[in-house]
Amino acid sequence: MDIKTLLASGALPRVGTGYDVHVLAEGRKLMLCGIEVPHERGLAGHSDADVALHALCDAIYGAMAEGDIGRHFPPSEATWKDADSARFLRHAAGLVAEKGGAIANIDITIICERPKITPHALAMRTRVAGLAGVPLDRVSVKATTSERLGFTGRGEGIAAQAAVLLLMPFAA
């Protein structure tokens, strides 16, 4: 359902937040927000380890009280080994639509010292918007460092946070 129709019907705004972290490892490509980012190391994980999409999926599932990404795509299942995280986001966004709701906006923050995110931010926003089925102007992707503190500051891994606002119909 579209945003204007949901707002006119008195839809319930529901906020979700997500957080994910993965360690950097040799021999892996670096996937962030559904695009490959040139870097000497990639993120290790059961799937493609896209921390940004994982955090976003958790935010969406959380806003719907549907658990987290691991509930829908258990890392213990071989099916998800090296899986493209775009599949996870399509599932989460599809569940919103299936329940008659809509994603109002998405806000993602990637936390790392390197690589620099700004040169890739528009491509990331475009990819996330396409996967989630929302207009580009409702998707934000930005980055921050941890001022060389902690595991992200030492370049050992990358973290991501996401927030989402859903508009969901009231349950009958």
Side-chain angles (χ1 to χ4, degrees):
M1 192 174 292
D2 80 333
I3 295 286
K4 288 180 183 178
T5 304
L6 280 163
L7 285 171
S9 71
L12 177 65
R14 297 181 71 163
V15 175
T17 63
Y19 175 82
D20 195 34
V21 60
H22 284 279
V23 66
L24 284 161
E26 299 292 332
R28 299 268 303 188
K29 61 184 177 179
L30 179 59
M31 298 300 296
L32 293 171
C33 290
I35 69 164
E36 185 172 351
V37 176
H39 194 57
E40 63 270 9
R41 294 179 293 162
L43 293 169
H46 188 67
S47 66
D48 66 5
D50 187 327
V51 292
L53 292 189
H54 293 186
L56 177 55
C57 288
D58 277 351
I60 294 170
Y61 292 133
M64 291 187 294
E66 287 284 341
D68 62 17
I69 194 171
R71 175 174 155 192
H72 297 270
F73 302 97
S76 58
E77 291 183 13
T79 306
W80 311 121
K81 178 73 177 143
D82 296 322
D84 181 350
S85 295
R87 183 173 180 183
F88 306 155
L89 179 52
R90 282 192 295 268
H91 176 269
L95 195 54
V96 173
E98 183 181 303
K99 292 176 176 261
I103 299 172
N105 78 296
I106 292 168
D107 185 15
I108 298 170
T109 303
I110 300 169
I111 306 154
C112 61
E113 299 292 328
R114 295 182 47 247
K116 294 299 180 194
I117 300 304
T118 302
H120 310 285
L122 179 57
M124 291 175 176
R125 289 178 59 220
T126 301
R127 179 72 170 144
V128 169
L131 292 170
V134 301
L136 183 62
D137 68 347
R138 289 198 252 141
V139 177
S140 172
V141 173
K142 58 196 180 306
T144 191
T145 69
S146 56
E147 299 295 333
R148 299 187 183 169
L149 298 172
F151 71 93
T152 59
R154 292 187 299 270
E156 296 168 8
I158 296 177
Q161 299 178 139
V164 66
L165 174 64
L166 306 182
L167 294 175
M168 302 298 291
F170 281 94

